[in-house]
């Protein structure tokens, strides 16, 4: 058993450490297992735009009073499909389950072994099933997930009289059909990049303005008083500089923006909300919109350069259609094939070749083509993208006015007695 547990925990650690920094791998624990005295630990990482792999394990080593025990270990890998944004919202899963157990004087749910109050069972089980779940992301790090599943488990067991050293009185097999999964998991996410902190600067302007007022007073004689009022206006501006980042992915050999591809729909909605806020917030000022297009490695380098430029222009057209007055701030360019963000064995030696087409041919030949096929299925789709950075600032102003009066009395004209 120790061998299997060591393998399981090593697999979980490797899945979190090898996930790309922007893929946000997760570790989790099933709170329902934990409340039932079973230690649980799992990990999950994305493998495609709508797919992720989840691996959950549980271990219960305890024996309670009067010999009551539900000792077991299990491993439950699951392939998940996310119809919207990966690792957020609804998902459907296909899971396997396997493990070993030692049960004594305990009533199992769903009537799996009706006689466990009278006999002790030792054995193993293996099976699989289908599941449904929903994930709530509270913030960049913490999340919660609920899921249920049904399926089939085939088990082989030995039956003993109650007690640790009870006599073996039989053996058999059992096929169970019913619930195979019930989870309410607390999740902690790794790998999600820290957002860039806004740069804040305070600008102070002092403006002096002189205002001249003339006041006429009437007494027995007429005189004129002129007052010079000097206003000192102290204006403080706080300027917050920040970037809004947008990332869209594209189909193979296409520059058309597909809202239903990957997380595009959610990111376009976020962009529209930002632009709407810009239109209604007078303190928000956009300084530049920089869009860079990329392509994946397959195909000719020249064709991929043109394709990356077309993708950048498509994103620029999208923003221009939402806010035509921002067109003069938009700069778009294509950078062609994105070799930098794709990691694979032997990359350093391959990058020494400056000819991109030659480099691609060598990559296709590595490992008899198996490496390139793996990259096509896992990493290359994410390189067909644009990255857009909207540089903006938010300016808040406070004004303080101080007034320093000076008075000058003009000579009084002599009066004439009539």
């Amino acid at each position: 058993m120790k061998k299997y547990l060591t393998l399981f925990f090593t697999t979980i650690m490797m899945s979190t450490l090898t996930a790309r920094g922007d893929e946000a791998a997760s570790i989790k624990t099933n709170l329902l297992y934990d409340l039932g005295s079973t230690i649980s630990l799992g990990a999950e990482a994305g493998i495609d735009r709508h797919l992720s792999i989840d691996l959950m394990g549980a271990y219960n080593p305890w024996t309670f009073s009067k010999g009551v025990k539900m000792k077991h270990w299990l491993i439950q890998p699951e392939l998940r499909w996310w119809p919207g944004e990966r690792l957020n919202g609804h998902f459907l899963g296909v899971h396997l389950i396997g493990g070993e157990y030692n049960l004594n004087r305990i009533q199992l749910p769903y009537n799996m072994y009706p006689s466990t109050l009278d006999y002790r069972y030792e054995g193993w089980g293996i099976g699989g099933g289908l599941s449904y779940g929903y994930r709530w992301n509270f913030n960049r790090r913490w999340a919660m997930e609920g899921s249920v599943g049904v399926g089939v488990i085939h088990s082989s067991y030995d039956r003993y009289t109650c007690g640790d050293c009870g006599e073996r009185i039989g053996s058999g097999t059992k096929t169970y059909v019913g619930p195979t999964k019930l989870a309410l998991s607390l999740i902690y996410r790794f790998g999600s990049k820290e957002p860039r902190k806004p740069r804040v600067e305070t600008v102070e302007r002092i403006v002096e303005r002189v205002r001249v007022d003339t006041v006429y007073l009437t007494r027995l004689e007429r005189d004129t008083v002129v007052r010079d009022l000097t206003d000192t206006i102290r204006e403080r501006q706080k300027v917050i500089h920040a970037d809004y980042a947008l990332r869209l992915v594209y189909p193979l050999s296409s520059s058309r923006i597909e809202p239903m591809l990957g997380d595009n729909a959610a990111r376009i909605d976020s962009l529209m909300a930002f632009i709407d806020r810009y239109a209604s917030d007078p303190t928000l000022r956009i300084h530049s919109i920089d869009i860079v297009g990329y392509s994946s490695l397959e195909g000719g380098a020249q064709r991929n350069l043109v394709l990356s430029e077309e993708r950048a222009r498509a994103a620029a057209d999208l923003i221009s259609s939402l806010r035509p007055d921002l067109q003069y701030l938009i700069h778009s360019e294509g950078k062609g094939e994105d070799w930098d963000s794709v990691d694979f064995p032997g990359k350093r030696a391959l990058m020494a070749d400056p000819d991109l087409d030659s480099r691609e041919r060598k990559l296709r030949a590595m490992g008899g083509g198996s490496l390139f096929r793996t990259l096509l299925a896992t990493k290359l789709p994410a390189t067909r993208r644009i990255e857009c950075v909207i540089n903006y600032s938010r300016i808040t102003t406070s004004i303080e006015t101080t007034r320093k009066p000076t008075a000058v009395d003009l000579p009084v004209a002599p009066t004439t007695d009539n």
Side-chain angles (χ1 to χ4, degrees), residues 103-227:
L103 312 174
N104 191 44
R105 291 195 174 105
I106 190 166
Q107 181 66 52
L108 292 179
Y110 314 119
N111 204 30
M112 295 175 67
Y113 286 99
S115 56
T116 47
L117 292 175
D118 303 315
Y119 301 97
R120 183 172 64 87
Y121 287 82
E122 286 189 35
W124 57 266
I126 188 170
L130 304 175
S131 61
Y132 163 78
Y134 191 91
R135 175 163 168 162
W136 300 268
N137 291 322
F138 302 132
N139 53 43
R140 191 170 53 86
R141 293 300 185 196
W142 293 99
M144 185 74 76
E145 170 187 288
S147 62
V148 294
V150 295
V152 178
I153 299 176
H154 176 75
S155 175
S156 176
Y157 62 86
D158 294 324
R159 185 167 59 185
Y160 300 80
T161 57
C162 283
D164 289 336
C165 299
E167 179 184 357
R168 186 165 73 96
I169 59 177
S171 60
T173 61
K174 182 178 180 64
T175 299
Y176 162 79
V177 180
T180 53
K181 184 175 186 180
L182 180 63
L184 180 64
S185 299
L186 181 64
I187 302 170
Y188 182 79
R189 302 202 298 172
F190 291 94
S192 182
K193 293 181 178 178
E194 289 280 351
R196 185 168 134 186
K197 294 182 179 180
R199 176 169 57 89
V200 180
E201 66 181 38
T202 300
V203 180
E204 182 176 272
R205 293 191 305 170
I206 300 178
V207 180
E208 289 194 355
R209 184 178 62 197
V210 177
R211 186 177 63 201
V212 178
D213 292 342
T214 302
V215 181
Y216 295 96
L217 300 178
T218 303
R219 295 196 302 272
L220 295 177
E221 62 277 355
R222 180 178 300 274
D223 59 10
T224 302
V225 177
V226 177
R227 284 191 177 89

Side-chain angles (χ1 to χ4, degrees), residues 380-412:
L380 294 189
T383 63
R384 305 167 193 141
R385 72 191 193 283
I386 64 98
E387 292 185 354
C388 170
V389 175
I390 301 178
N391 179 258
Y392 69 95
S393 62
R394 187 183 301 278
I395 301 176
T396 55
T397 303
S398 60
I399 297 177
E400 175 187 344
T401 302
T402 57
R403 178 170 297 175
K404 183 175 68 175
T406 61
V408 178
D409 292 335
L410 297 182
V412 177

Side-chain angles (χ1 to χ4, degrees), residues 160-323:
Y160 300 80
T161 57
C162 283
D164 289 336
C165 299
E167 179 184 357
R168 186 165 73 96
I169 59 177
S171 60
T173 61
K174 182 178 180 64
T175 299
Y176 162 79
V177 180
T180 53
K181 184 175 186 180
L182 180 63
L184 180 64
S185 299
L186 181 64
I187 302 170
Y188 182 79
R189 302 202 298 172
F190 291 94
S192 182
K193 293 181 178 178
E194 289 280 351
R196 185 168 134 186
K197 294 182 179 180
R199 176 169 57 89
V200 180
E201 66 181 38
T202 300
V203 180
E204 182 176 272
R205 293 191 305 170
I206 300 178
V207 180
E208 289 194 355
R209 184 178 62 197
V210 177
R211 186 177 63 201
V212 178
D213 292 342
T214 302
V215 181
Y216 295 96
L217 300 178
T218 303
R219 295 196 302 272
L220 295 177
E221 62 277 355
R222 180 178 300 274
D223 59 10
T224 302
V225 177
V226 177
R227 284 191 177 89
D228 292 337
L229 301 180
T230 302
D231 293 346
T232 300
I233 303 173
R234 192 178 300 271
E235 180 180 289
R236 291 183 175 87
Q237 289 186 337
K238 186 170 73 171
V239 185
I240 300 177
H241 296 276
D243 291 339
Y244 173 88
L246 171 70
R247 188 176 187 272
L248 301 177
V249 293
Y250 290 80
L252 176 64
S253 300
S254 174
S255 60
R256 187 175 64 179
I257 297 176
E258 298 284 357
M260 299 309 295
L261 183 62
D263 304 334
N264 284 356
R267 290 171 175 174
I268 292 173
D269 289 344
S270 175
L271 170 67
M272 295 178 67
F274 175 82
I275 290 179
D276 288 343
R277 189 164 72 249
Y278 164 75
S280 59
D281 188 348
T283 68
L284 193 65
R285 299 180 185 178
I286 293 179
H287 305 291
S288 64
I289 302 175
D290 299 312
I291 304 172
V292 180
Y294 298 91
S295 68
S296 52
L297 312 182
E298 67 272 34
Q302 185 58 40
R303 167 60 187 142
N304 284 336
L305 177 60
V306 173
L307 182 60
S308 67
E309 293 170 347
E310 292 173 348
R311 287 171 174 168
R313 281 197 296 270
D317 292 342
L318 172 64
I319 296 176
S320 296
S321 66
L322 297 174
R323 291 292 302 186

Side-chain angles (χ1 to χ4, degrees), residues 75-90:
I75 296 176
Q76 191 171 52
E78 182 173 69
L79 176 66
R80 294 178 170 181
W81 177 74
W82 304 79
E85 181 182 358
R86 190 183 61 203
L87 302 182
N88 186 35
H90 301 275

